CSV table of all heavy atoms in Angstrom, one decimal:
chain,number,residue,atom,x,y,z
A,21,ILE,N,39.5,22.9,29.2
A,21,ILE,CA,38.6,21.7,29.4
A,21,ILE,C,38.6,20.9,28.1
A,21,ILE,O,38.9,21.4,27.1
A,21,ILE,CB,37.2,22.1,29.9
A,21,ILE,CG1,36.5,22.9,28.8
A,21,ILE,CG2,37.2,22.8,31.2
A,21,ILE,CD1,35.0,23.1,29.0
A,22,THR,N,38.1,19.7,28.3
A,22,THR,CA,37.9,18.8,27.1
A,22,THR,C,36.4,18.6,26.9
A,22,THR,O,35.6,18.7,27.9
A,22,THR,CB,38.6,17.5,27.2
A,22,THR,OG1,38.0,16.7,28.2
A,22,THR,CG2,40.1,17.6,27.5
A,23,SER,N,36.0,18.2,25.7
A,23,SER,CA,34.6,17.9,25.4
A,23,SER,C,34.2,16.7,26.2
A,23,SER,O,33.1,16.6,26.7
A,23,SER,CB,34.4,17.6,23.9
A,23,SER,OG,33.1,17.2,23.7
A,24,LEU,N,35.1,15.7,26.4
A,24,LEU,CA,34.8,14.5,27.2
A,24,LEU,C,34.5,14.9,28.7
A,24,LEU,O,33.5,14.4,29.2
A,24,LEU,CB,36.0,13.5,27.1
A,24,LEU,CG,35.7,12.1,27.7
A,24,LEU,CD1,34.5,11.5,26.9
A,24,LEU,CD2,36.9,11.2,27.5
A,25,GLU,N,35.3,15.8,29.2
A,25,GLU,CA,35.0,16.2,30.6
A,25,GLU,C,33.6,16.9,30.7
A,25,GLU,O,32.9,16.7,31.6
A,25,GLU,CB,36.1,17.2,31.1
A,25,GLU,CG,37.4,16.6,31.3
A,25,GLU,CD,38.5,17.6,31.5
A,25,GLU,OE1,38.3,18.8,31.2
A,25,GLU,OE2,39.6,17.2,32.0
A,26,LEU,N,33.4,17.8,29.7
A,26,LEU,CA,32.1,18.5,29.7
A,26,LEU,C,30.9,17.5,29.5
A,26,LEU,O,29.9,17.6,30.2
A,26,LEU,CB,32.1,19.4,28.4
A,26,LEU,CG,31.1,20.5,28.3
A,26,LEU,CD1,31.1,21.4,29.5
A,26,LEU,CD2,31.5,21.3,27.0
A,27,THR,N,31.1,16.5,28.7
A,27,THR,CA,30.1,15.5,28.4
A,27,THR,C,29.8,14.6,29.7
A,27,THR,O,28.7,14.4,30.0
A,27,THR,CB,30.5,14.6,27.2
A,27,THR,OG1,30.6,15.5,26.1
A,27,THR,CG2,29.4,13.5,26.9
A,28,GLU,N,30.9,14.2,30.3
A,28,GLU,CA,30.8,13.4,31.6
A,28,GLU,C,30.1,14.2,32.7
A,28,GLU,O,29.2,13.6,33.4
A,28,GLU,CB,32.2,13.0,32.1
A,28,GLU,CG,32.9,12.0,31.2
A,28,GLU,CD,32.2,10.6,31.2
A,28,GLU,OE1,31.2,10.4,31.9
A,28,GLU,OE2,32.7,9.7,30.4
A,29,ALA,N,30.3,15.5,32.7
A,29,ALA,CA,29.6,16.3,33.7
A,29,ALA,C,28.1,16.3,33.5
A,29,ALA,O,27.3,16.2,34.4
A,29,ALA,CB,30.2,17.8,33.7
A,30,CYS,N,27.7,16.4,32.2
A,30,CYS,CA,26.3,16.4,31.9
A,30,CYS,C,25.7,15.0,32.1
A,30,CYS,O,24.6,14.9,32.7
A,30,CYS,CB,26.1,16.8,30.4
A,30,CYS,SG,26.5,18.5,30.1
A,31,LEU,N,26.4,14.0,31.7
A,31,LEU,CA,25.9,12.6,31.9
A,31,LEU,C,25.7,12.3,33.4
A,31,LEU,O,24.7,11.6,33.8
A,31,LEU,CB,26.9,11.6,31.3
A,31,LEU,CG,27.0,11.6,29.8
A,31,LEU,CD1,28.1,10.6,29.3
A,31,LEU,CD2,25.7,11.1,29.1
A,32,THR,N,26.6,12.8,34.3
A,32,THR,CA,26.4,12.6,35.7
A,32,THR,C,25.1,13.3,36.2
A,32,THR,O,24.4,12.7,37.0
A,32,THR,CB,27.6,13.2,36.5
A,32,THR,OG1,28.8,12.6,36.0
A,32,THR,CG2,27.5,13.0,38.0
A,33,GLN,N,24.9,14.5,35.7
A,33,GLN,CA,23.6,15.2,36.1
A,33,GLN,C,22.4,14.5,35.6
A,33,GLN,O,21.4,14.4,36.3
A,33,GLN,CB,23.7,16.6,35.5
A,33,GLN,CG,24.7,17.5,36.1
A,33,GLN,CD,24.5,17.7,37.6
A,33,GLN,OE1,23.4,17.9,38.1
A,33,GLN,NE2,25.6,17.6,38.4
A,34,ILE,N,22.5,14.0,34.4
A,34,ILE,CA,21.3,13.3,33.8
A,34,ILE,C,20.9,12.1,34.6
A,34,ILE,O,19.8,11.8,34.9
A,34,ILE,CB,21.6,12.9,32.3
A,34,ILE,CG1,21.7,14.2,31.4
A,34,ILE,CG2,20.5,12.0,31.8
A,34,ILE,CD1,22.3,13.9,30.0
A,35,GLU,N,22.0,11.3,35.0
A,35,GLU,CA,21.7,10.1,35.8
A,35,GLU,C,21.0,10.4,37.1
A,35,GLU,O,20.3,9.6,37.7
A,35,GLU,CB,23.1,9.4,36.1
A,35,GLU,CG,23.6,8.6,35.0
A,35,GLU,CD,25.0,8.1,35.2
A,35,GLU,OE1,25.4,8.0,36.4
A,35,GLU,OE2,25.8,7.8,34.2
A,36,ALA,N,21.2,11.6,37.6
A,36,ALA,CA,20.6,12.0,38.9
A,36,ALA,C,19.3,12.8,38.8
A,36,ALA,O,18.8,13.3,39.8
A,36,ALA,CB,21.6,12.8,39.7
A,37,SER,N,18.8,12.8,37.6
A,37,SER,CA,17.6,13.7,37.3
A,37,SER,C,16.4,13.0,37.0
A,37,SER,O,15.5,13.6,36.3
A,37,SER,CB,18.0,14.7,36.2
A,37,SER,OG,18.1,14.0,35.0
A,38,ASP,N,16.2,11.7,37.4
A,38,ASP,CA,15.0,11.0,37.0
A,38,ASP,C,13.7,11.7,37.4
A,38,ASP,O,12.7,11.6,36.7
A,38,ASP,CB,15.0,9.6,37.7
A,38,ASP,CG,16.0,8.7,37.0
A,38,ASP,OD1,16.6,9.1,36.0
A,38,ASP,OD2,16.3,7.6,37.6
Side-chain angles (χ1 to χ4, degrees):
I21 59 171
T22 66
S23 175
L24 190 57
E25 289 169 345
L26 194 55
T27 300
E28 291 291 357
C30 290
L31 291 172
T32 301
Q33 292 299 318
I34 292 166
E35 281 172 23
S37 70
D38 286 352

